[in-house]
Amino acid sequence: MGRAVSDAWKLPGSTITHRKLGTKKTRIERDHTRVVIREVEPADRERFCLTDDEVIRLADIGRKTADLLGGPQDIEWAITGSQIWILLARPVTSALPAGPPVAADITEGAKAARVRP
């Protein structure tokens, strides 16, 4: 109830090599002073929540943030129009997934980018 499987992208560099459409039946929204669960419109269920350009820009910001702060970061962000706002960056505290190195793995639902230098 009110949960979704996030859209996801993988980028080794500045090229998207994989994208996966998540499932989005309901969403949690703020309605003045309340939090409510609403149905996602059918057309929005079949559409990625970010454009390829936004994903590439977020991955670039994630890499630069990791370089600036000295290692992988969990990053919270928001987009308004074409402006990307970094809300919070903190060091990754859990082990990164095993497997071949991936430059960026962006998952929309968590509003986080995990970036390995």
Side-chain angles (χ1 to χ4, degrees), residues 23-98:
T23 56
K24 310 168 198 96
K25 293 182 181 182
T26 59
R27 65 179 171 217
I28 299 172
E29 294 181 345
R30 183 175 161 207
D31 184 7
H32 302 284
T33 60
R34 301 179 312 133
V35 174
V36 296
I37 297 172
R38 295 201 171 115
E39 293 287 319
V40 173
E41 295 293 324
D44 289 338
R45 293 179 192 180
E46 300 302 319
R47 179 181 11 229
F48 282 95
C49 60
L50 298 169
T51 66
D52 285 356
D53 179 62
E54 289 169 332
V55 170
I56 291 166
R57 288 174 55 210
L58 284 164
D60 183 54
I61 289 168
R63 286 185 201 95
K64 289 176 181 175
T65 303
D67 289 346
L68 179 68
L69 298 177
Q73 302 290 308
D74 281 328
I75 302 171
E76 294 181 18
W77 49 269
I79 298 177
T80 304
S82 63
Q83 179 67 47
I84 295 174
W85 300 91
I86 300 304
L87 307 175
L88 176 73
R90 61 180 166 257
V92 171
T93 56
S94 61
L96 292 171

